[in-house]
C-alpha cells in the first residue's frame, strides 16, 4: 500500500506551480531542505522520479505530470469536505478565498471587506487580485472559493451570478471639456490608451470601438491609474468603468464624459464551482457585494456628477 500524506501532496503541488524549491518552500512556510526531504520521500514511496532538477528551476517528469493532476483532485476533494462542514452550520464562518479582477478590486474591495466583517465577523477573508483567466484557473482547481469578474466567463463547470451593470466613460484632457463627445467611429482615429493584453476590460473597450487591435494607441498600461495620468499629460484618451471614476480622476487634470446610447458597459458578477458545497452561502455573499457597491442587482451604476453627456 502506497502511503502518501496530504502534506506531501500539498508540497508537491506547490513545487509544480512555482517550478522552484525556494519559492515553493516560501509559499508553504517551511524550509527548503524540509521541502526537498518530503519530495524525496514521495519519490521513494512511488518508486519513480517526479522532478528534473536544475540550478534555477525544476521540471515535472512524465510521472510527475500525471501525478500532479491526481494530487490536485485529492486536495480539492479534501478542501470540499471542510466546505461541507461549514455549509451545515447556521453561521458562515472560517476561510473564504475570494478573487477579484484588477479593474474591480481597488474600488469595491474596501467596502466589501467592511460589509462582510460587519455581517459575518467569523469569516477569515483571503483576497486574491488577478486577471480573469488566472482567477478562473485557480477557482477550477479549488484554490479559490469564488471570484468577482466581468461576465460572461462561459465556463461550463462554474455558476455565474450577475450582480450589476456599469457603463464605461470617456476620460480625456481637461482642455477638451465641453467639446462634442466623439463617437465610437471617431475613437478609432484617436490615440486610445488601453490596458495591456490579458485584461478583459481592454477587450471590452476594443469591442465597443469595433476594433480588433488599436494601431494608434501609444501605451499599454497595467492599471487604470496609469491610463488616467497619461490622459492628464495630454497623450491620448481612455475609457474607464464608472466605479473607478471617483478614485482615479480626483488628482488628474481630466474631464469625464458619457457616450450617447448605446453606451459601452459591462456586467459584474460572481462565479463559483457548480460542485461547491458553499453555493447557498456564496449566493448570500453576492447580495452583500451588491449592497457594498451601492447597487441593486442588475441595475447600472449611477452616473458620476462630473460626467458630461454628449
Amino acid at each position: 500500500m502506497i502511503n502518501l500524506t496530504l502534506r506531501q501532496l500539498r508540497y508537491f503541488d506547490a513545487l509544480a506551480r512555482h517550478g522552484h524549491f525556494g519559492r515553493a518552500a516560501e509559499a508553504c512556510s517551511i524550509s527548503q531542505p524540509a521541502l526537498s526531504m518530503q519530495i524525496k520521500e514521495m519519490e521513494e514511496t512511488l518508486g519513480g522520479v517526479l522532478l528534473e532538477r536544475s540550478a534555477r528551476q525544476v521540471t515535472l517528469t512524465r510521472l510527475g505530470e500525471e501525478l500532479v493532476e491526481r494530487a490536485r483532485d485529492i486536495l480539492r476533494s479534501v478542501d470540499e469536505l471542510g466546505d461541507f462542514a461549514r455549509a451545515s452550520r447556521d453561521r458562515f464562518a472560517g476561510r473564504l478565498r475570494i478573487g477579484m479582477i484588477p479593474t474591480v478590486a481597488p474600488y469595491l474591495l474596501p467596502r466589501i471587506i467592511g460589509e462582510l466583517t460587519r455581517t459575518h465577523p467569523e469569516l477569515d477573508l483571503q483576497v486574491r487580485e488577478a486577471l480573469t483567466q488566472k482567477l478562473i484557473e485557480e477557482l477550477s482547481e479549488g484554490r479559490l472559493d469564488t471570484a468577482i469578474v466581468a461576465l460572461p466567463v462561459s465556463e461550463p463547470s462554474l455558476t455565474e451570478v450577475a450582480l450589476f451593470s456599469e457603463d464605461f466613460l470617456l476620460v480625456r484632457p481637461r482642455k477638451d471639456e465641453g467639446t462634442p463627445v466623439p463617437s465610437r467611429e471617431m475613437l478609432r482615429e484617436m490615440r486610445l490608451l488601453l490596458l495591456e493584453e490579458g485584461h478583459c476590460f481592454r477587450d471590452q473597450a476594443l469591442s465597443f470601438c469595433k476594433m480588433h487591435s488599436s494601431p494608434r494607441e501609444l501605451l499599454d498600461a497595467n492599471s487604470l491609474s496609469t491610463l488616467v495620468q497619461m490622459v492628464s499629460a495630454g497623450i491620448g484618451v481612455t475609457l474607464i468603468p464608472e466605479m473607478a471614476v471617483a478614485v482615479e480622476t480626483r488628482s488628474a487634470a481630466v474631464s469625464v464624459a458619457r457616450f450617447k446610447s448605446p453606451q459601452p458597459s459591462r456586467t459584474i458578477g460572481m462565479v463559483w464551482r457548480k460542485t461547491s458545497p458553499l453555493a447557498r452561502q456564496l449566493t448570500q455573499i453576492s447580495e452583500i457585494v451588491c449592497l457594498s457597491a451601492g447597487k441593486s442587482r442588475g441595475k447600472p451604476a449611477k452616473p458620476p456628477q462630473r460626467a458630461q453627456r454628449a
Side-chain angles (χ1 to χ4, degrees), residues 32-307:
Q32 185 171 330
L35 176 65
S36 298
M37 182 178 299
Q38 291 293 324
I39 299 301
K40 183 178 180 180
E41 289 181 3
M42 280 187 68
E43 291 179 324
E44 292 175 351
T45 299
L46 293 167
V49 178
L50 300 174
L51 307 165
E52 294 180 9
R53 297 161 172 82
S54 67
R56 294 187 176 182
Q57 65 179 16
V58 295
T59 305
L60 295 179
T61 63
R62 183 173 180 179
L63 174 61
E65 291 177 348
E66 293 177 354
L67 179 64
V68 72
E69 295 304 323
R70 289 168 171 77
R72 288 169 179 168
D73 287 340
I74 293 170
L75 293 173
R76 184 164 54 245
S77 296
V78 170
D79 287 341
E80 286 186 351
L81 287 177
D83 291 340
F84 273 113
R86 288 195 293 155
S88 66
R89 301 172 189 164
D90 294 333
R91 293 176 298 181
F92 193 15
R95 181 185 65 184
L96 176 63
R97 301 165 299 177
I98 182 169
M100 295 185 193
I101 54 177
T103 56
V104 167
Y107 319 109
L108 281 188
L109 183 57
R111 286 178 281 173
I112 291 173
I113 289 180
E115 191 64 24
L116 285 177
T117 300
R118 184 183 67 82
T119 58
H120 296 76
E122 296 180 1
L123 273 182
D124 174 20
L125 289 175
Q126 299 178 12
V127 181
R128 166 95 161 109
E129 180 182 319
L131 298 181
T132 300
Q133 183 176 357
K134 186 64 176 177
L135 293 179
I136 297 307
E137 174 187 324
E138 295 185 4
L139 189 58
S140 298
E141 293 176 353
R143 288 186 285 155
L144 287 175
D145 297 309
T146 185
I148 298 176
V149 298
L151 300 181
V153 296
S154 303
E155 174 56 54
S157 65
L158 300 180
T159 294
E160 297 184 14
V161 175
L163 301 178
F164 57 86
S165 296
E166 64 170 351
D167 293 332
F168 302 162
L169 301 181
L170 176 68
V171 180
R172 52 186 179 169
R174 185 168 292 169
K175 65 181 179 62
D176 294 335
E177 189 168 7
T179 62
V181 177
S183 64
R184 68 175 74 188
E185 291 76 18
M186 295 171 63
L187 279 177
R188 298 176 198 159
E189 303 303 318
M190 302 174 73
R191 286 179 174 173
L192 181 61
L193 310 180
L194 299 173
L195 293 175
E196 62 187 0
E197 294 281 353
H199 287 268
C200 58
F201 188 77
R202 172 193 176 95
D203 298 332
Q204 292 159 348
L206 287 174
S207 176
F208 168 67
C209 299
K210 296 185 177 179
M211 299 165 62
H212 297 294
S213 61
S214 43
R216 289 180 175 268
E217 70 179 315
L218 187 65
L219 171 74
D220 280 351
N222 62 10
S223 73
L224 295 176
S225 179
T226 300
L227 290 179
V228 173
Q229 292 303 320
M230 295 303 289
V231 172
S232 178
I235 291 178
V237 300
T238 193
L239 276 64
I240 66 174
E242 286 187 72
M243 71 172 69
V245 170
V247 172
E248 302 300 351
T249 65
R250 61 190 173 192
S251 61
V254 298
S255 66
V256 180
R258 186 175 294 277
F259 292 99
K260 291 181 179 179
S261 296
Q263 298 178 35
S265 65
R266 67 177 179 178
T267 298
I268 299 300
M270 276 179 59
V271 294
W272 57 80
R273 294 182 302 280
K274 289 182 177 178
T275 58
S276 174
L278 299 175
R280 179 175 61 85
Q281 287 83 355
L282 292 175
T283 299
Q284 296 172 357
I285 295 295
S286 72
E287 298 287 350
I288 293 174
V289 172
C290 285
L291 179 64
S292 302
K295 302 175 180 68
S296 299
R297 175 155 292 173
K299 298 295 184 180
K302 294 181 179 180
Q305 295 181 350
R306 295 178 55 194

